[in-house]
């Protein structure tokens, strides 16, 4: 059996918002970590600051953790996006923007020392990236099911 896949109209938007925009977001968040390294005196190659060794370890680690989250989710997000967009390109494209904005807000919330660490990442809009992931997974399942019916 040979399966042919036709890329739908609007798929180029998905390539931008789910392919390129997350890369730009990752670089932007990495810049926040580099600024925090300088501010909190945490030199490379330390991935995280060591409490007791680095004066403001928690402050730095919250910024670093905010960036690390995008690295943990980006591959699954992209896979679900590129598959889901075969059937739902516009939904996936919009969700890609939500994912990127949500990840930025996740870091902003996590880094905010005035918020409790347990919920900080969600308090300033970080939950938006979780919603985007769920939408992409749903679209991906829908697209896979449609392909299986053929």
């Amino acid at each position: 059996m040979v399966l042919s896949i036709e890329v739908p109209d609007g798929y180029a938007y998905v390539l931008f918002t789910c392919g390129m925009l997350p890369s730009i977001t990752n670089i932007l968040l990495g810049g926040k970590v580099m600024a925090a390294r300088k501010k909190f005196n945490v030199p490379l190659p330390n991935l995280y600051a060591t409490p007791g060794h680095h004066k403001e370890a928690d402050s730095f680690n919250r910024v670093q953790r905010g960036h690390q989250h995008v690295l943990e989710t980006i591959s699954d997000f992209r896979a679900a996006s590129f598959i889901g967009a075969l059937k739902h390109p516009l939904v996936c494209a919009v969700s890609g923007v939500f994912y990127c904005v949500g990840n930025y807000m996740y870091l902003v919330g996590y880094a905010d020392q005035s918020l409790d660490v347990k919920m900080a990442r969600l308090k300033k809009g970080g939950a938006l990236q979780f919603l985007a992931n769920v939408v992409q997974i749903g679209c991906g399942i829908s697209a896979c099911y449609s392909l299986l019916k053929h």
Side-chain angles (χ1 to χ4, degrees):
M1 178 174 102
V2 175
L3 176 65
S4 296
I5 298 174
E6 185 174 319
V7 177
D9 290 339
Y11 200 82
Y13 293 114
V14 176
L15 294 176
F16 179 72
T17 65
C18 300
M20 300 311 302
L21 193 56
S23 295
I24 295 166
T25 302
N26 182 34
I27 291 167
L28 179 65
L29 297 182
K32 296 263 188 204
V33 172
M34 293 309 291
R37 284 190 180 285
K38 184 175 182 180
K39 179 178 179 181
F40 300 119
N41 194 27
V42 181
L44 290 168
N46 298 304
L47 182 59
Y48 287 96
T50 305
H53 179 73
H54 295 100
K55 184 178 177 183
E56 297 186 71
D58 286 345
S59 296
F60 173 78
N61 288 344
R62 286 176 73 151
V63 175
Q64 171 66 354
R65 184 67 197 108
H67 177 243
Q68 184 68 31
H69 180 76
V70 76
L71 300 174
E72 294 168 353
T73 62
I74 198 168
S75 60
D76 291 335
F77 174 80
R78 283 182 169 153
S81 298
F82 296 149
I83 294 166
L86 293 171
K87 185 173 181 187
H88 309 283
L90 296 181
V91 172
C92 287
V94 170
S95 190
V97 174
F98 289 166
Y99 174 79
C100 293
V101 170
N103 271 295
Y104 182 83
M105 299 313 297
Y106 185 97
L107 183 143
V108 168
Y110 219 143
D112 188 338
Q113 290 287 323
S114 70
L115 299 173
D116 176 57
V117 71
K118 292 178 183 173
M119 295 301 291
R121 57 194 177 266
L122 306 176
K123 293 280 185 179
K124 294 197 172 183
L128 190 58
Q129 61 85 25
F130 289 116
L131 175 63
N133 261 320
V134 169
V135 168
Q136 301 306 58
I137 290 167
C139 288
I141 291 169
S142 173
C144 288
Y145 179 75
S146 292
L147 289 171
L148 288 171
K149 289 190 326 185
H150 285 94

